[in-house]
Amino acid sequence: MPYDDCLPPTRRARPLSVAAALAAVCLTAAGCGGGPETGGAGAASPRPGADAATSAAPTPTGKQPLPKGPLTGRTVVIDPGHNPGNRDHTREINEQVDIGTGRKECDTTGTATNDGYAEARFTLDVSHRLRALLEAEGARVRLTHDADRPFGPCIDERARIGNEAKADAVVSVHADGSAVGNRGFHVILPAGVKGGGADTSKIVKSSADLGARIAGHFARTTGSAPSNYIGGNTGLDTRDDLGGLNLSTVPKVFVECGNMRDPKDAALLTAASWRQKAAQGLADGIAGYLKG
């Protein structure tokens, strides 16, 4: 669930016409057929053993030169949704910050499965795996946080990190907290927004391209279908109420990898093998976008 989506959106823009790009990828994909917001309970205490043997292999970040590869010279910022410590800092994360077109909470706790596997732990695990895959292709990768701070960062700072890095792409990793029966993934794209400190006019088209490529590869690699409750079965949703997108000056999307409140989706999200597939689908989509 997006960190600046603790309340139902007041208005949503219509999805962009990028379904054709998704369909083009799915034509060659196995498993793009049927199958796998709102509300979000606070992140509960993680289920004991939920993350056992789930950490991705150590990455070379800051320790040794990156390998040369097709993404050498490119910068990717990965934004793990929420922070495991947010639940202990409710006063701080409820502070209002400027999102350009208004004000919103600094961050939220995120959602969790019914068994207590927190979204914040899921997003960090997938982000570690994604970082390893992108760095193996030569990309410079930065995380907005690595559970190395008590809470946050706030949504405006998350956007600023990507902007200051002059990232070629920013992907915010999430999982949704919707009703049972609502299944599948969706990619949230920035709408055309201009107001206050927000101006997405230069990134709407490139972000839509990034999102469509991620959606196609994510469906193919994970076997999950696009959301059956958001995006009109395209796997794409365009929004104008998320500060993390409104304040971005570089191509950026959010990815809701599945619905943690649906038992079938939750079984996928809590499986290390599926999370590796999710990271691979994200990496392939990002790489496809960066390679053109």
Side-chain angles (χ1 to χ4, degrees):
M1 184 171 66
Y3 39 73
D4 46 347
D5 191 29
C6 60
L7 295 174
T10 57
R11 180 167 63 90
R12 289 194 179 182
R14 294 174 63 86
L16 295 179
S17 299
V18 290
L22 172 62
V25 177
C26 284
L27 284 175
T28 59
C32 283
E37 170 168 11
T38 87
S45 298
R47 186 176 76 251
D51 275 349
T54 62
S55 295
T59 68
T61 303
K63 297 180 181 179
Q64 62 189 59
L66 290 169
K68 296 293 184 181
L71 300 184
T72 294
R74 297 304 193 107
T75 298
V76 178
V77 170
I78 304 170
D79 181 24
H82 314 288
N83 180 325
N86 280 359
R87 63 184 182 182
D88 300 320
H89 294 272
T90 54
R91 180 179 62 81
E92 291 90 343
I93 67 172
N94 282 328
E95 291 289 333
Q96 299 277 306
V97 298
D98 187 2
I99 65 167
T101 55
R103 299 186 69 80
K104 214 165 188 179
E105 289 80 0
C106 158
D107 203 350
T108 71
T109 59
T111 189
T113 67
N114 292 333
D115 289 335
Y117 181 53
E119 179 187 1
R121 294 189 70 180
F122 167 82
T123 64
L124 200 57
D125 180 77
V126 172
S127 295
H128 287 163
R129 296 170 186 274
L130 176 57
R131 177 176 62 185
L133 292 167
L134 292 172
E135 287 186 334
E137 292 199 59
R140 294 187 299 268
V141 180
R142 179 176 178 182
L143 269 60
T144 58
H145 77 93
D146 202 357
D148 51 356
R149 53 192 293 166
F151 64 92
C154 294
I155 56 180
D156 55 342
E157 183 182 352
R158 289 174 186 261
R160 188 162 58 249
I161 290 170
N163 296 344
E164 292 177 350
K166 294 181 172 30
D168 295 293
V170 183
V171 174
S172 191
V173 180
H174 287 269
D176 209 357
S178 189
V180 173
N182 289 344
R183 297 195 63 197
F185 72 91
H186 64 279
V187 182
I188 304 175
L189 314 174
V193 171
K194 190 168 185 178
D199 184 356
T200 62
S201 59
K202 294 182 179 179
I203 68 163
V204 167
K205 184 176 180 180
S206 55
S207 297
D209 185 15
L210 171 64
R213 290 175 185 267
I214 287 176
H217 284 284
F218 195 90
R220 179 179 65 184
T221 304
T222 64
S224 292
S227 169
N228 63 6
Y229 62 103
I230 287 178
N233 297 314
T234 66
L236 303 167
D237 185 36
T238 303
R239 292 179 58 172
D240 59 7
D241 63 310
L242 299 178
L245 296 180
N246 290 357
L247 298 174
S248 184
T249 59
V250 294
K252 182 174 182 177
V253 299
F254 284 32
V255 181
E256 297 281 4
C257 297
N259 176 19
M260 299 196 94
R261 293 296 183 171
D262 178 82
K264 293 180 179 179
D265 266 14
L268 299 175
L269 297 165
T270 55
S273 59
W274 189 89
R275 291 198 297 273
Q276 186 63 32
K277 292 179 182 178
Q280 187 67 63
L282 294 172
D284 290 345
I286 294 168
Y289 166 76
L290 294 178
K291 294 173 187 176

